[in-house]
């Protein structure tokens, strides 16, 4: 059974929980212990640790998630109804491929049961295994990475934390429809990589642009299936990561806002947090990142996939050579733009002809300009 890959939570953590009050999150979660495995029929969100960081050449020690669990369990939950489980850890396999296989099986099984896995690693190449978990679901995948780098590398170099995206792009079956990077820092990425992202019609937002207006990232998460967070995208003064010092990056408030956007998205079905350095300071921030994702989940509005048109206001914007159709939700005020359906056997957008967008993109269209994300999505639709 796929869940046999999961090792129960250790006795140290279980003993720690006994010292918490009944109001703390740790006292309200369902735990995988030596005596029992949680009844997954009642679970909506599942926490999973992966104790493998062999994909990170800069890793200085083995993965230790105990401090994250202690910090998370010590928080108080919001007004939450969904049952949350901690399913324990996947240990490093004999080879990294063994670890990928185990993680893929666990994540795939949870998604099929409509349970959202929150995966804590470990090196970010584990994102590849989470992506491959969607193979059995027969759907295209939209991947969003919160990262200072695009993580592209040469195919011959293999798969590592800073090159896993190449593997995702090239490997068959190719189920990747769109990739979006949030928070890249130009000096960490070659011009060749930046040009490639543009050539593939992927989306990328610079750190400064997102920091200036965090809300521009919300529509991106609304269309994501898998979200991967590299903790190196957070500046060290906020993360506490002084082993691999980062003078610039998202601050604690910004990264928690992005996590909440990921949680509130009706479409996000898995979330990964990677490249933990085992520092106590970083553990505290990770626990809050997880808390905000769960908080966002409890505010999902179930607007996706597109429901009754009676719940939306339709706006038609005529352009010189085209006509754009927007929809605004009466419930949340969020916006979507319609991607024209092309009757073609190669059309990858058969399951979704609506692209989440922002009010600002509607205003751009009103100025007789084509929104960039709409144009890229349509190009992928054609080719």
């Amino acid at each position: 059974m796929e869940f046999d890959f999961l090792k129960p939570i250790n006795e140290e953590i279980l003993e720690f929980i006994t010292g918490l009050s009944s109001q703390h999150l740790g006292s309200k979660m369902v735990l995988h212990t030596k005596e029992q495995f949680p009844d997954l029929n009642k679970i909506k969100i599942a926490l999973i640790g992966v104790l493998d960081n062999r994909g990170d050449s800069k890793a200085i020690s083995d993965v230790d998630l105990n401090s994250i669990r202690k910090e998370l369990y010590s928080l108080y939950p919001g007004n939450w109804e969904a049952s949350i489980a901690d399913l324990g850890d996947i240990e490093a396999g004999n080879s990294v491929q063994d670890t990928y296989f185990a993680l893929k099986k666990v994540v795939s099984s949870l998604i099929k049961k409509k349970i959202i896995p929150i995966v804590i690693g470990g090196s970010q190449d584990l994102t590849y295994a989470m992506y491959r978990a969607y193979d059995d679901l027969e759907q295209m995948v939209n991947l969003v990475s919160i990262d200072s780098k695009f993580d592209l590398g040469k195919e011959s170099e293999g798969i590592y934390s800073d090159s896993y995206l190449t593997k995702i792009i090239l490997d068959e079956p190719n189920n990747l429809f769109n990739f979006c990077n949030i928070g890249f820092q130009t000096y960490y990425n070659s011009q060749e990589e930046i040009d490639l992202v543009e050539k593939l019609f992927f989306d990328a937002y610079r750190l400064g642009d997102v920091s200036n207006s965090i809300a521009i990232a919300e529509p991106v998460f609304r269309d994501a299936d898998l979200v991967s967070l590299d903790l190196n995208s957070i500046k060290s003064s906020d993360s506490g990561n002084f082993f691999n010092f980062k003078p610039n990056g998202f601050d604690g408030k910004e990264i928690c806002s992005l996590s909440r956007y990921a949680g509130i998205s009706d479409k996000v079905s898995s979330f990964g947090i990677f490249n933990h350095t085992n520092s106590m300071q970083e553990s505290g921030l990770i626990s809050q990142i997880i808390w905000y994702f769960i908080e966002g989940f409890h505010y999902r509005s179930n607007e996706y996939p597109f429901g009754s048109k009676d719940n939306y206001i339709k706006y038609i914007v005529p352009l010189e050579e085209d006509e754009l159709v927007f929809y605004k939700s009466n419930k949340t005020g969020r916006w979507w733009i319609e991607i024209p359906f092309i009757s073609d056997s190669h059309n990858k957008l058969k399951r979704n002809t609506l692209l989440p967008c922002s009010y600002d993109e509607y205003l751009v269209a009103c100025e007789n300009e084509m929104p960039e994300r709409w144009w890229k999505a349509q190009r992928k639709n054609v080719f």
Side-chain angles (χ1 to χ4, degrees):
M1 184 178 177
E2 57 273 11
F3 297 117
D4 291 341
F5 293 117
L6 291 161
K7 184 183 75 170
I9 298 167
N10 65 40
E11 295 298 325
E12 177 190 344
I13 298 299
L14 295 176
E15 185 177 342
F16 174 81
I17 293 174
T18 61
L20 299 175
S21 77
S22 60
Q23 297 302 310
H24 282 107
L25 183 57
S27 301
K28 296 178 178 293
M29 293 176 67
V30 184
L31 307 176
H32 176 196
T33 66
K34 291 180 180 178
E35 288 74 31
Q36 64 178 5
F37 190 83
D39 179 3
L40 296 180
N41 293 320
K42 301 177 181 179
I43 302 301
K44 294 296 183 183
I45 298 173
L47 192 69
I48 301 166
V50 185
L51 309 180
D52 194 336
N53 59 5
R54 283 175 287 185
D56 183 6
S57 60
K58 297 180 181 178
I60 58 175
S61 61
D62 294 336
V63 183
D64 183 355
L65 305 179
N66 284 351
S67 58
I68 295 176
R69 284 189 165 97
K70 289 179 180 179
E71 291 284 351
L72 178 63
Y73 293 170
S74 299
L75 300 178
Y76 291 99
N79 187 22
W80 300 343
E81 297 179 354
S83 295
I84 306 165
D86 189 336
L87 300 185
D89 298 323
I90 296 175
E91 293 189 296
N94 291 329
S95 70
V96 71
Q97 296 298 329
D98 293 334
T99 306
Y100 293 160
F101 178 82
L103 180 57
K104 172 187 173 181
K105 288 296 184 182
V106 171
V107 170
S108 178
S109 296
L110 290 172
I111 294 175
K112 286 178 181 178
K113 294 178 181 292
K114 300 190 182 304
I115 299 171
I116 298 178
I118 300 177
V119 178
I120 311 171
S123 44
Q124 200 181 11
D125 53 297
L126 296 168
T127 303
Y128 172 75
M130 294 182 67
Y131 163 72
R132 288 270 73 106
Y134 289 83
D135 288 352
D136 298 335
L137 304 178
E138 297 181 355
Q139 69 169 68
M140 300 302 293
V141 179
N142 288 341
L143 166 63
V144 171
S145 176
I146 305 171
D147 203 331
S148 59
K149 300 179 181 180
F150 294 132
D151 295 328
L152 292 163
K154 295 180 180 179
E155 184 180 6
S156 59
E157 294 177 350
I159 178 170
Y160 293 97
S161 184
D162 56 0
S163 63
Y164 71 91
L165 184 59
T166 300
K167 182 81 168 173
I168 289 178
I169 293 172
L170 297 178
D171 255 25
E172 297 288 344
N174 191 334
N175 300 326
L176 182 67
F177 176 68
N178 191 44
F179 167 77
C180 179
N181 171 282
I182 294 178
F184 82 95
Q185 298 177 43
T186 307
Y187 37 74
Y188 288 141
N189 301 276
S190 69
Q191 190 59 49
E192 182 182 14
E193 292 173 319
I194 295 172
D195 292 342
L196 178 60
V197 168
E198 186 69 23
K199 183 180 179 180
L200 294 172
F201 306 117
F202 290 158
D203 300 311
Y205 295 82
R206 292 181 63 175
L207 171 65
D209 293 332
V210 181
S211 294
N212 287 336
S213 179
I214 198 82
I216 66 173
E218 187 276 328
V220 174
F221 288 108
R222 215 185 321 152
D223 202 37
D225 298 291
L226 164 59
V227 176
S228 174
L229 166 59
D230 183 347
L231 293 165
N232 288 315
S233 65
I234 307 167
K235 59 183 178 181
S236 293
S237 58
D238 280 41
S239 71
N241 175 9
F242 296 106
F243 301 106
N244 186 17
F245 187 78
K246 300 295 180 184
N248 289 305
F250 291 115
D251 62 29
K253 180 181 177 181
E254 290 166 343
I255 205 67
C256 286
S257 295
L258 294 176
S259 180
R260 190 177 188 276
Y261 282 149
I264 209 170
S265 165
D266 293 316
K267 193 163 178 277
V268 169
S269 53
S270 61
F271 182 44
I273 303 171
F274 302 108
N275 293 336
H276 174 42
T277 61
N278 298 343
S279 74
M280 290 295 296
Q281 299 95 321
E282 193 172 66
S283 296
L285 180 57
I286 293 171
S287 70
Q288 293 183 18
I289 290 170
I290 295 170
W291 190 97
Y292 272 100
F293 180 88
I294 299 172
E295 171 82 353
F297 172 84
H298 283 83
Y299 283 94
R300 290 191 172 190
S301 56
N302 298 315
E303 292 182 313
Y304 190 99
F306 191 69
S308 171
K309 292 185 178 180
D310 295 338
N311 299 324
Y312 299 81
I313 301 174
K314 182 178 181 180
Y315 296 82
I316 300 176
V317 181
L319 301 181
E320 290 182 0
E321 299 179 358
D322 218 323
E323 184 179 85
L324 300 185
V325 179
F326 290 84
Y327 291 91
K328 180 184 177 183
S329 167
N330 292 330
K331 185 176 182 180
T332 63
R334 298 190 295 187
W335 289 75
W336 284 262
I337 187 171
E338 193 170 74
I339 306 295
F341 183 83
I342 297 175
S343 181
D344 187 295
S345 61
H346 298 293
N347 176 23
K348 297 180 179 180
L349 279 178
K350 287 181 179 178
R351 70 183 181 98
N352 174 27
T353 58
L354 286 176
L355 179 71
C357 67
S358 65
Y359 174 62
D360 287 343
E361 287 172 297
Y362 166 73
L363 294 180
V364 166
C366 290
E367 294 295 325
N368 203 35
E369 294 182 28
M370 196 75 72
E372 185 177 358
R373 290 182 66 242
W374 180 91
W375 181 82
K376 287 181 177 180
Q378 190 179 43
R379 298 295 286 180
K380 286 193 283 281
N381 189 14
V382 173
F383 295 108

